[in-house]
Amino acid sequence: MSVDNIKMAQLILPDVKITAQEILEKYPPRQLKEGAMVTRFAPSPTGFLHIGGLFTAMVNKRAAMQSDGVFYIRIEDTDKKREIEDGVKIVIDGLNAFGIDADEGFCPDGQKGDYGPYQQSQRRDIYRAFVKQLMEKGMAYPCFLTEQELSEIRAEQEKLKVNTGIYGKWAKYRDITVDEAQKLINEGKSFVVRLRSPGDPQKRISFKDAIKGKIEMPENDQDVVILKADGIPTYHFAHAIDDHLMGTTHVIRGDEWISSAPIHLQLFYVLGFKPPVYAHVSPIMKEENGGKRKLSKRKDPEAAVGYYYEQGYPKESVMEYLMTIANSNYEDWRKANQKEDNKNFPFNLKKLSLSGALFDLVKLNDVSKNAISIMPAQKVFELSLEWAKQYDKQLAELFERDRQYATEILNIDRENKKPRKDIAKWSDVRDYVEYMYDEIWDKSEMVLPENISNEDGIKIIDAYLQKYNPEHTKDEWFNTMKEICEPLGFASEVKVYKKNPDAYKGHVGDISTVIRIALTGRKNTPDLYYIMKLLGQDKVKERLNSFKEKLS
Ligand code: GLU
């Protein structure tokens, strides 16, 4: 450490009293078992959570969980321009809504953990102490280039077709003396602090990315800004300091950061820190016109995590789906372990897609239908009510008016070997139950199947009304349908009809379809016997009669 460097550090950061060494002592290494991974998700409080962010967060959480490590959430708010009011809350709530809660850092009820604070704006003094230390070692310097000068340098570099940026001969203030710096400061000139990069672009660095494998790139030779004019560090610098102090073992982040990895590795090096293992996650892609493109915040509503709770996808479905696109062997595992908690799936970082996982809403719907089909009715009721309270007030009122009725509707054809799969998201529930509530039942499109005339329709309903008995068991109920077949010219067995179709107008299935349409307006519904039980005899008779009138 030269005297000049120490003087320079004191000139630039006179307010910094604590030393880097003192800070390091406050962050002792974590005592974790061998192989435990410490991971983090580090969103900026922009108020927008991209599904790709949720995916990366999930991967981080899984990696930590599976190795008995720690997963924490850190808020990266060094860029005040991108921040919005409530941005932190929106992002944290978005993560929590999908079960991505942290062991440490930003948790639903505030910050917790011994390695905080976990918000970069609260760590200003920490960064500044390390900048001061680098200056004392001659590894950083103040740079007084103005915006104007920077753009002139850029224009010149573009003209010469050389790399843009501040490096080598373009780094005009690299060797500025304390006196010169003092003079410029006295004149009120503003400055940033830059790294004095020790890199040589002729040399290459290589590192082993835990997802992408070996990556080689030229060494960084840019004197990157580490402290901005407002005294706040850049992302690069804060990343190195925080991930070191917080004991992150694996930095799993979006692959837009790969190109910055040489800068980051160099910062770890000059700071004397052991670098973490990097794992760069490829973006989530969407199929379009036979090609693939990134899921875009601007073009695709499904890029925003908010889309999934507005539509009412249960968190289990979204996470289940994200698991299928994270590890391609997950689906087979799920088939073999239907009821098991997916915590037990052996997740593997190396299996993440290199070219970007394809996001497919149709597939998500399938996964979600499966997940919902195996939920007990009570849970379906509660979750859909919770959703409806916010997004479909009328449905919520109907559900709350008679909770048991609603739960029983949702229980039809559920909790058996082959549950129905009609509901992919809570916004589908209204349509699923609508004919069970006169208030929302839409009868405008009630029509008979083509092979049944109105006249036959009326006859079928009449005959059925004669025999209908709400006390019937399920077998008796079905026998009633059969009994009215023959007198009306329908076969009471489908087999018999198929052998000799010309001899009949149709079969018992057509009879029940007419009754089904009269009662629900649909050709296809869950078990009609239970629907009729729930509707009750008055409503059944009323609906049959009113459909009959409509036909005549
Ligand atoms: N704050 C950075 C971002 O939002 C995080 C990158 C990282 O995980 O290191 O992109």
Side-chain angles (χ1 to χ4, degrees):
M1 263 190 264
S2 80
V3 178
D4 279 352
N5 289 338
I6 292 173
K7 277 195 192 148
M8 183 72 95
Q10 190 54 26
L11 172 66
I12 298 300
L13 297 149
D15 58 310
V16 176
K17 301 288 179 258
I18 189 162
T19 66
Q21 190 50 41
E22 283 163 343
I23 292 171
L24 284 168
E25 281 156 18
K26 290 194 192 165
Y27 291 83
R30 293 172 182 271
Q31 300 301 321
L32 292 168
K33 73 169 207 201
E34 177 88 22
M37 289 164 72
V38 179
T39 64
R40 86 300 189 271
F41 184 60
S44 299
T46 58
F48 181 84
L49 185 58
H50 192 286
I51 186 80
L54 181 66
F55 182 70
T56 304
M58 177 193 82
V59 171
N60 271 291
K61 184 174 161 91
R62 294 235 30 138
M65 199 174 73
Q66 196 159 305
S67 60
D68 293 326
V70 177
F71 167 66
Y72 70 91
I73 295 177
R74 178 173 73 225
I75 295 294
E76 304 210 324
D77 55 350
T78 56
D79 186 354
K80 290 286 162 197
K81 287 197 288 290
R82 292 178 60 208
E83 196 168 327
I84 66 151
E85 204 186 312
D86 274 344
V88 176
K89 188 176 172 342
I90 296 169
V91 172
I92 300 297
D93 287 354
L95 292 167
N96 289 329
F98 292 94
I100 304 293
D101 42 358
D103 306 316
E104 199 179 293
F106 272 76
C107 299
D109 41 0
Q111 291 194 46
K112 69 170 194 230
D114 296 335
Y115 291 80
Y118 297 88
Q119 180 161 10
Q120 291 183 331
S121 55
Q122 295 169 13
R123 301 172 62 75
R124 192 172 181 271
D125 296 346
I126 298 175
Y127 306 121
R128 293 168 64 82
F130 282 93
V131 172
K132 191 166 185 182
Q133 184 199 47
L134 285 186
M135 292 194 82
E136 286 168 352
K137 291 184 179 167
M139 286 164 163
Y141 65 89
C143 171
F144 293 83
L145 287 172
T146 60
E147 286 302 322
Q148 165 84 24
E149 286 172 300
L150 286 168
S151 55
E152 281 164 16
I153 291 175
R154 195 183 177 87
E156 178 76 8
Q157 289 169 330
E158 278 166 0
K159 209 169 87 195
L160 295 170
K161 297 199 166 42
V162 297
N163 285 342
T164 55
I166 301 305
Y167 60 94
K169 70 165 186 177
W170 309 99
K172 183 171 152 193
Y173 290 96
R174 235 181 185 225
D175 298 312
I176 186 173
T177 64
V178 182
D179 289 345
E180 285 161 351
Q182 179 72 69
K183 188 164 160 277
L184 291 169
I185 289 173
N186 291 348
E187 287 168 14
K189 295 267 158 51
S190 104
F191 61 86
V192 298
V193 177
R194 289 183 185 272
L195 172 72
R196 187 192 301 277
S197 170
D200 173 355
Q202 305 307 320
K203 292 195 193 137
R204 295 177 78 76
I205 55 137
S206 89
F207 66 99
K208 198 162 165 259
D209 189 284
I211 295 171
K212 300 194 188 259
K214 187 174 173 193
I215 295 183
E216 256 197 33
M217 282 191 261
E219 267 184 24
N220 171 58
D221 67 336
Q222 298 267 346
D223 285 357
V224 290
V225 175
I226 54 178
L227 206 60
K228 296 184 274 189
D230 56 6
I232 292 176
T234 53
Y235 163 73
H236 304 311
F237 194 70
H239 153 52
I241 301 298
D242 291 346
D243 282 312
H244 174 73
L245 294 179
M246 297 178 185
T248 312
T249 61
H250 290 68
V251 168
I252 306 173
R253 62 183 178 186
D255 74 358
E256 68 273 23
W257 293 108
I258 278 199
S259 58
S260 306
I263 297 173
H264 300 161
L265 288 166
Q266 191 170 68
L267 284 170
F268 277 88
Y269 170 75
V270 298
L271 287 160
F273 302 156
K274 177 173 181 256
V277 175
Y278 284 103
H280 288 100
V281 180
S282 304
I284 291 195
M285 311 294 278
K286 171 175 180 137
E287 200 154 29
E288 196 179 62
N289 306 327
K292 260 169 96 175
R293 65 164 174 81
K294 276 191 208 173
L295 201 58
S296 136
K297 170 177 172 179
R298 210 164 35 81
K299 288 192 223 153
D300 309 309
E302 72 271 28
V305 160
Y307 172 85
Y308 302 89
Y309 38 84
E310 278 157 30
Q311 291 287 315
Y313 284 97
K315 65 174 184 226
E316 289 88 343
S317 306
V318 176
M319 298 323 280
E320 184 78 7
Y321 179 61
L322 292 183
M323 284 299 289
T324 67
I325 63 170
N327 272 194
S328 57
N329 55 331
Y330 180 75
E331 266 184 283
D332 285 342
W333 178 88
R334 175 47 89 209
K335 277 193 199 116
N337 301 279
Q338 300 207 357
K339 291 252 152 88
E340 199 149 336
D341 190 322
N342 73 16
K343 281 190 180 103
N344 300 325
F345 168 73
F347 181 78
N348 189 343
L349 267 184
K350 288 203 189 73
K351 289 210 163 80
L352 256 72
S353 162
L354 296 181
S355 57
L358 204 56
F359 193 84
D360 178 358
L361 274 177
V362 176
K363 189 79 195 292
L364 167 65
N365 283 336
D366 285 347
V367 168
S368 191
K369 282 177 182 172
N370 267 328
I372 294 177
S373 78
I374 56 174
M375 287 180 189
Q378 188 62 34
K379 184 167 178 186
V380 176
F381 168 72
E382 275 159 20
L383 294 178
S384 50
L385 174 60
E386 194 184 302
W387 174 86
K389 277 184 186 163
Q390 196 172 352
Y391 298 102
D392 187 346
K393 296 257 169 358
Q394 189 186 22
L395 182 67
E397 270 163 33
L398 293 171
F399 270 22
E400 282 190 303
R401 189 175 69 195
D402 188 342
R403 291 168 167 258
Q404 193 182 341
Y405 180 68
T407 312
E408 283 180 22
I409 299 169
L410 296 167
N411 197 36
I412 301 177
D413 288 347
R414 187 173 287 278
E415 295 184 48
N416 59 21
K417 267 215 170 103
K418 268 194 102 200
R420 288 181 68 94
K421 297 181 180 171
D422 306 86
I423 305 171
K425 47 194 187 311
W426 306 131
S427 50
D428 295 341
V429 170
R430 170 186 268 263
D431 180 65
Y432 185 67
V433 302
E434 59 101 29
Y435 52 80
M436 300 303 285
Y437 295 95
D438 285 332
E439 295 85 342
I440 58 172
W441 188 27
D442 174 12
K443 291 174 278 193
S444 61
E445 282 174 36
M446 273 172 90
V447 279
L448 286 174
E450 274 167 23
N451 62 328
I452 311 280
S453 67
N454 281 13
E455 208 189 327
D456 280 334
I458 294 170
K459 282 188 194 155
I460 292 169
I461 293 173
D462 267 337
Y464 186 72
L465 275 167
Q466 298 281 322
K467 303 243 171 194
Y468 167 64
N469 176 349
E471 308 291 317
H472 276 163
T473 63
K474 192 163 178 190
D475 285 342
E476 289 165 343
W477 169 84
F478 193 59
N479 281 336
T480 310
M481 300 268 179
K482 287 185 170 179
E483 285 163 19
I484 62 175
C485 286
E486 305 287 341
L488 296 172
F490 287 75
S492 59
E493 302 281 344
V494 182
K495 275 195 308 232
V496 175
Y497 170 79
K498 284 202 174 143
K499 265 192 208 143
N500 197 0
D502 294 338
Y504 298 100
K505 291 180 179 167
H507 56 72
V508 62
D510 297 308
I511 300 284
S512 61
T513 299
V514 171
I515 306 300
R516 193 185 303 272
I517 290 174
L519 295 174
T520 68
R522 303 182 186 193
K523 284 188 197 148
N524 182 348
T525 67
D527 195 318
L528 188 59
Y529 173 73
Y530 292 105
I531 290 177
M532 289 169 69
K533 283 248 165 234
L534 283 177
L535 286 174
Q537 89 169 290
D538 292 347
K539 205 161 267 181
V540 167
K541 286 186 182 160
E542 178 199 311
R543 288 188 178 189
L544 288 170
N545 280 315
S546 106
F547 188 54
K548 203 178 89 183
E549 259 165 51
K550 197 177 161 190
L551 293 177
S552 47

